[in-house]
Amino acid sequence: MTLVFEDEQKEELSFDAREVAGSVISMVLDLEQCPYEAEVELILTDSETIRSLNREHRSIDRETDVLSFPMVDYPSPASFDFLETEEGDDCFNPDSGELMLGDIVICVSRAIAQAKEYGHSVCREYAFLIAHSMLHLLGYDHMTQEEASVMEQKQEEALKMLGITREL
């Protein structure tokens, strides 16, 4: 798994953000039984930049906690079979052969504020946002209550397997 990691913001974190991200991404890929080595880009940014991205890509002019930019259009969530067809050829990095899943952009100041609001650690909130976004990169969504329940269960399972709990 390749993690392209960029930290474009000024907040100091009390944990190794790259290491936590790699662990969460790997766990989600394992739980979803991804049969390929994968590539993900993670960008840590500030509230102004994520607001601009949200406005530009979603036409929503406000700050958000995380944005996901999937590069694979799955016929159904985490259904990897189609990648073996001609249709899936463009989904792989021609240099590394890895499945290019897409980009995750996290607003660190928002993650810090949400951790305080929800009463858990910043590390837990950060890991949750990555797990959530990874599921989007694998084709999951939460537009209906049923979809949201599936995503919530999968997010919690990944964090539980990593021992990342809600306790401070």
Side-chain angles (χ1 to χ4, degrees), residues 141-152:
D141 209 342
H142 46 81
M143 299 305 286
T144 67
Q145 183 55 46
E146 183 179 332
E147 290 173 335
S149 291
V150 168
M151 281 189 74
E152 288 167 13

Side-chain angles (χ1 to χ4, degrees), residues 33-49:
Q33 300 177 354
C34 179
Y36 305 101
E37 288 297 313
E39 178 181 309
V40 175
E41 182 168 358
L42 172 62
I43 302 167
L44 305 185
T45 196
D46 58 29
S47 56
E48 184 179 307
T49 302

Side-chain angles (χ1 to χ4, degrees), residues 32-73:
E32 292 302 307
Q33 300 177 354
C34 179
Y36 305 101
E37 288 297 313
E39 178 181 309
V40 175
E41 182 168 358
L42 172 62
I43 302 167
L44 305 185
T45 196
D46 58 29
S47 56
E48 184 179 307
T49 302
I50 207 158
R51 181 178 183 168
S52 176
L53 289 169
N54 204 19
R55 181 176 49 246
E56 179 182 338
H57 295 280
R58 298 177 63 223
S59 299
I60 299 173
D61 189 16
R62 70 173 183 264
E63 175 187 350
T64 190
D65 52 3
V66 64
L67 292 170
S68 309
F69 297 98
M71 293 184 73
V72 178
D73 187 17

